[in-house]
Amino acid sequence: MCGIVGYIGDQNTSEILVNGLKRLEYRGYDSAGLALINGKLDIIKGKGKVASLEKKLKKQSIEGWLGIAHTRWATHGEPNDINSHPHLSQSGKIAVVHNGIIENYNSLKKQLASKGRTFQSETDTEVLTQLIEEIHENGNAPDFEGALQLALKQVVGTYGIAVINLDEPGRIYVARKGSPLLLGIGENEMFIASDASPIVEHTKKVVYLEDGEMAVVTKNDYQVKTIDDVDLTKEIHELALSLDAIEKAGYPHFMLKEIFEQPRSVADCLRGRIRTDSHTIQLGGLVDVMDRLVEARRIVIAACGTSWHSGLVGEYMFEELAKLPVEVEYASEFRYRDPLIGEDDVLLVISQSGETADTLAALREAKKKGALVLGICNVVGSTIARETDAGVYTHAGPEIGVASTKAFTAQVVVLAMIAIALGQRRGVLEDEYAGRLIDELNRLPDKIDKILEQSEVIKKMAKLFTYAPNFLYLGRSYNFPVALEGALKLKEISYIHAEGYPAAEMKHGPIALIDEMMPVVVIAATDHTNDKMISNIEEVKARKGRIVSVTNDENHEVKELSEFFISIPSTEDCFSPLLTVIPLQLLSYYIAVNRGCNVDQPRNLAKSVTVE
Ligand code: M6R
């Protein structure tokens, strides 16, 4: 959730750190700070975005040959100057930046206070900093590295940390448990970061740390070991990420860029995986587990947020196309209820970031119980991608906007490909239908393009609804998850209260909310539920609700009943979410922009939720 960056080398350290923080700001943005060593240990930090840190640095320039920096998403203690990272030990010699949560920080704090330590902040991170120093000063460990190891063993919870010590001015220590960290290897310089985005412009060579590992990093070298002091030899990975992919390319926001990237990201996701001549699907990542998948008793899908919504679409697809029973679980609920899952089951986790703490915990729980664990991830090399037995990458490219857009459509495309392949292997999907679906998958990028061409119409429509206090989204069948997704998109970036419902459920409660102030977004683009949706529209209109519909080009009946409509090309019902979601993403985006909201960095949210 927070972002860490570190540097040791001959370049301008504070500039590298601040630029790195800018790339990481999508992970957390309530405060930012950095610490540098140059004969002394200097810290500049405070509430606010990286831009305010940059301003402070202009007034009070500090330089150093190594440094660590942090952009924060508050867990313990409100966002203010004191609670910002880095945190200093009592002597002022040790500085720490930390992602994650130290769960036993309260009891550790009491113990440390009884030994005379005083605390400036309300954070768990300061407690860890003081603990390291306490162990070091009391001689309970042979050296500073040993003190760090002992401290980490006393900690319950999760961490990705970077630590510097004025007495060892050529080293940065890092450690990981539950919060990602990687090292970037340069020429006479080393980088540290919580994801690859700040590193990619400097080097493509990276080493991923695993849970329970730490590293001692110097300008020309690094040594990775366990926190039990066992030396490790780590594989060096080559980053595939490009710098262009993490810049705005002329768009005012990453979210808009990512919405408009969808024709390409869907095509990238399909590339090399579908054969239109033989009407087959080849998913390299699943080849080794396909037999077990075909024999599975059921599939359980676990995910959070938007990824959970794509999982719901997957449920409809797997049941229709592969005739396999599916349950879709919130990852956070799944892991805490001793789930009944075993060797005959498959757990499929879906995660854009591949780092979501609850999804990761669900994966580990199912693995412990013997289930085959598969993943659909966007971030290559992420923890979930590495810990699953097998999986499929979405190849949507980096998603920086906090609101997930292109990751959703790519996840749905992957789910469709798995469902079709599975249906074919299980002999339950008719050849003619499978062929039609595979041909249609190829046409989807162009169809998405056609919808994006209507962005100006959606922009105008958004003006009329900018100050609506509430929104209701209704969908049926494949478009019920899209109703949930449309509502989530609107609330997270515009702060308008919005609810998504299966259209038929409206009569069981939400209908009481409908009056002339209530925009009701109806997603009426699946053929077999069209008549029923028309009845629901009539029910809304009878109560003076304002109908905005997303419907097929030729669905004149729905268009006539709507105050506003967005027309989308027809497709197979099961692919409908891939088209209907696009206007809803744009509608939320334009409404949020009209309301002056920070679309890419909505309040209280972070891009990857690495704490439980
Ligand atoms: O990285 P993940 O896909 O695991 O993230 C899951 C959710 O946190 C994420 O989809 C969140 O709901 C987005 N902000 C939605 O736009």
Side-chain angles (χ1 to χ4, degrees):
M1 312 203 59
C2 311
I4 289 178
V5 57
Y7 176 73
I8 176 164
D10 295 330
Q11 297 192 58
N12 181 326
T13 304
S14 57
E15 201 176 297
I16 292 209
L17 294 179
V18 168
N19 288 341
L21 287 183
K22 284 184 189 160
R23 300 241 184 255
L24 283 174
E25 203 170 18
Y26 73 103
R27 295 178 67 106
Y29 30 83
D30 59 43
S31 43
L34 54 77
L36 295 161
I37 290 186
N38 187 358
K40 55 190 187 347
L41 202 166
D42 284 324
I43 285 198
I44 296 196
K45 63 177 187 172
K47 185 180 169 182
K49 295 190 183 290
V50 177
S52 28
L53 177 68
E54 211 175 8
K55 268 191 203 148
K56 283 183 199 143
L57 279 166
K58 278 193 183 128
K59 282 189 207 144
Q60 184 199 341
S61 155
I62 58 168
E63 215 11 91
W65 56 75
L66 72 82
I68 54 175
H70 191 261
T71 173
R72 180 173 186 243
W73 185 90
T75 57
H76 291 68
E78 65 169 285
N80 61 28
D81 292 353
I82 292 172
N83 289 335
S84 311
H85 298 212
H87 286 282
L88 271 182
S89 62
Q90 198 146 304
S91 70
K93 286 186 174 180
I94 301 167
V96 176
V97 292
H98 165 225
N99 293 351
I101 293 182
I102 309 296
E103 289 167 12
N104 58 338
Y105 86 104
N106 238 328
S107 60
L108 291 171
K109 193 171 185 174
K110 279 184 196 141
Q111 285 170 31
L112 290 164
S114 71
K115 292 179 177 155
R117 294 208 165 247
T118 54
F119 295 85
Q120 312 299 316
S121 76
E122 301 156 273
T123 64
D124 50 346
T125 307
E126 191 188 0
V127 175
L128 174 61
T129 314
Q130 299 273 35
L131 178 64
I132 298 167
E133 185 168 83
E134 178 65 29
I135 296 171
H136 185 45
E137 282 184 355
N138 282 346
N140 295 336
D143 51 21
F144 183 71
E145 190 178 320
L148 175 61
Q149 289 169 338
L150 273 182
L152 293 178
K153 284 184 205 161
Q154 290 187 30
V155 153
V156 177
T158 56
Y159 53 79
I161 51 164
V163 184
I164 53 177
N165 175 8
L166 188 56
D167 290 337
E168 296 189 15
R171 289 172 165 210
I172 304 179
Y173 293 90
V174 291
R176 167 196 167 139
K177 184 182 165 211
S179 213
L181 266 187
L182 58 155
L183 313 180
I185 307 165
E187 294 281 327
N188 291 324
E189 57 184 358
M190 292 288 298
F191 303 84
I192 288 153
S194 43
D195 72 44
S197 48
I199 290 183
V200 67
E201 62 200 276
H202 303 290
T203 175
K204 297 266 180 196
K205 286 188 194 152
V206 297
V207 169
Y208 295 98
L209 291 192
E210 301 292 341
D211 282 355
E213 293 179 358
M214 61 174 288
V216 188
V217 182
T218 57
K219 189 175 152 189
N220 295 305
D221 201 9
Y222 63 94
Q223 174 63 53
V224 181
K225 47 178 73 179
T226 66
I227 64 163
D228 294 318
D229 209 31
V230 177
D231 285 350
L232 300 168
T233 306
K234 298 284 290 185
E235 190 183 340
I236 298 176
H237 294 261
E238 191 78 14
L239 281 180
L241 195 66
S242 77
L243 194 56
D244 292 355
I246 53 172
E247 296 192 325
K248 283 190 199 147
Y251 284 90
H253 297 100
F254 281 109
M255 183 180 175
L256 193 63
K257 175 187 175 227
E258 287 155 9
I259 292 173
F260 273 85
E261 272 173 353
Q262 288 175 106
R264 202 184 70 207
S265 54
V266 165
D268 287 348
C269 181
L270 291 168
R271 183 159 303 116
R273 290 166 165 173
I274 52 173
R275 298 274 310 264
T276 39
D277 49 354
S278 56
H279 284 150
T280 51
I281 286 178
Q282 201 64 37
L283 294 166
L286 296 185
V287 170
D288 293 345
V289 294
M290 205 54 182
D291 288 342
R292 209 165 149 198
L293 188 53
V294 168
E295 297 299 320
R297 189 170 61 108
R298 66 174 178 153
I299 296 180
V300 179
I301 297 178
C304 305
T306 288
S307 299
W308 183 77
H309 296 156
S310 74
L312 288 177
V313 178
E315 178 179 27
Y316 285 91
M317 286 173 166
F318 284 123
E319 297 201 346
E320 186 207 331
L321 308 176
K323 302 285 177 260
L324 243 182
V326 174
E327 282 163 40
V328 187
E329 304 266 3
Y330 284 114
S332 54
E333 289 299 312
F334 176 82
R335 51 137 345 162
Y336 281 119
R337 64 169 166 68
D338 197 13
L340 296 175
I341 190 161
E343 286 173 12
D344 299 338
D345 298 311
V346 172
L347 179 83
L348 173 59
V349 291
I350 306 176
S351 174
Q352 187 286 129
S353 61
E355 302 293 348
T356 301
D358 285 318
T359 310
L360 187 56
L363 174 173
R364 288 174 178 162
E365 181 68 28
K367 221 173 178 182
K368 220 167 49 195
K369 296 193 163 174
L372 173 68
V373 179
L374 306 180
I376 298 177
C377 289
N378 193 35
V379 178
V380 176
S382 56
T383 310
I384 291 177
R386 284 180 285 135
E387 289 201 16
T388 40
D389 296 315
V392 183
Y393 281 119
T394 48
H395 294 314
E399 192 182 64
I400 310 281
V402 165
S404 194
T405 52
K406 63 175 179 172
F408 174 81
T409 42
Q411 288 165 349
V412 173
V413 168
V414 169
L415 287 161
M417 288 191 287
I418 301 176
I420 296 168
L422 209 49
Q424 289 178 316
R425 276 289 306 271
R426 285 168 58 88
V428 294
L429 186 60
E430 281 175 22
D431 288 347
E432 191 273 329
Y433 186 29
R436 231 168 58 216
L437 292 175
I438 290 171
D439 289 341
E440 180 64 5
L441 276 173
N442 251 345
R443 293 186 205 109
L444 290 169
D446 285 346
K447 292 189 175 182
I448 295 174
D449 231 351
K450 291 236 151 52
I451 301 170
L452 293 169
E453 282 167 13
Q454 299 177 65
S455 63
E456 282 304 314
V457 178
I458 299 169
K459 191 175 183 177
K460 279 190 194 132
M461 195 168 90
K463 271 196 183 142
L464 300 168
F465 293 108
T466 295
Y467 296 102
N470 296 290
F471 265 75
L472 190 60
Y473 286 72
L474 301 177
R476 279 176 181 263
S477 164
Y478 280 103
N479 279 313
F480 155 54
V482 177
L484 298 180
E485 176 59 8
L488 176 65
K489 256 349 37 121
L490 186 70
K491 68 186 142 199
E492 70 180 323
I493 59 168
S494 74
Y495 319 139
I496 294 176
H497 171 245
E499 299 273 2
Y501 267 92
E505 273 295 304
M506 178 184 65
K507 288 197 282 290
H508 300 281
I511 199 164
L513 298 170
I514 294 175
D515 59 18
E516 61 278 9
M517 299 292 286
M518 177 70 115
V520 181
V521 180
V522 176
I523 305 131
T526 32
D527 292 343
H528 69 291
T529 55
N530 197 46
D531 292 346
K532 297 273 183 271
M533 283 307 288
I534 288 172
S535 308
N536 296 134
I537 293 174
E538 297 281 15
E539 287 155 9
V540 173
K541 280 176 74 82
R543 284 149 188 95
K544 298 195 167 51
R546 303 183 66 183
I547 296 286
V548 177
S549 64
V550 177
T551 191
N552 298 330
D553 286 337
E554 63 279 8
N555 197 336
H556 302 294
E557 209 172 342
V558 168
K559 288 182 186 172
E560 274 159 27
L561 288 169
S562 309
E563 186 178 344
F564 299 96
F565 63 83
I566 303 149
S567 205
I568 60 161
S570 292
T571 185
E572 298 290 339
D573 276 3
C574 61
F575 299 148
S576 175
L578 291 162
L579 304 186
T580 53
V581 77
I582 310 286
L584 305 188
Q585 295 169 346
L586 284 168
L587 183 66
S588 309
Y589 172 79
Y590 289 122
I591 289 179
V593 169
N594 292 343
R595 289 166 68 97
C597 300
N598 185 340
V599 182
D600 284 337
Q601 295 169 355
R603 70 181 179 210
N604 305 339
L605 287 173
K607 182 65 183 166
S608 77
V609 183
T610 53
V611 295
E612 292 166 25

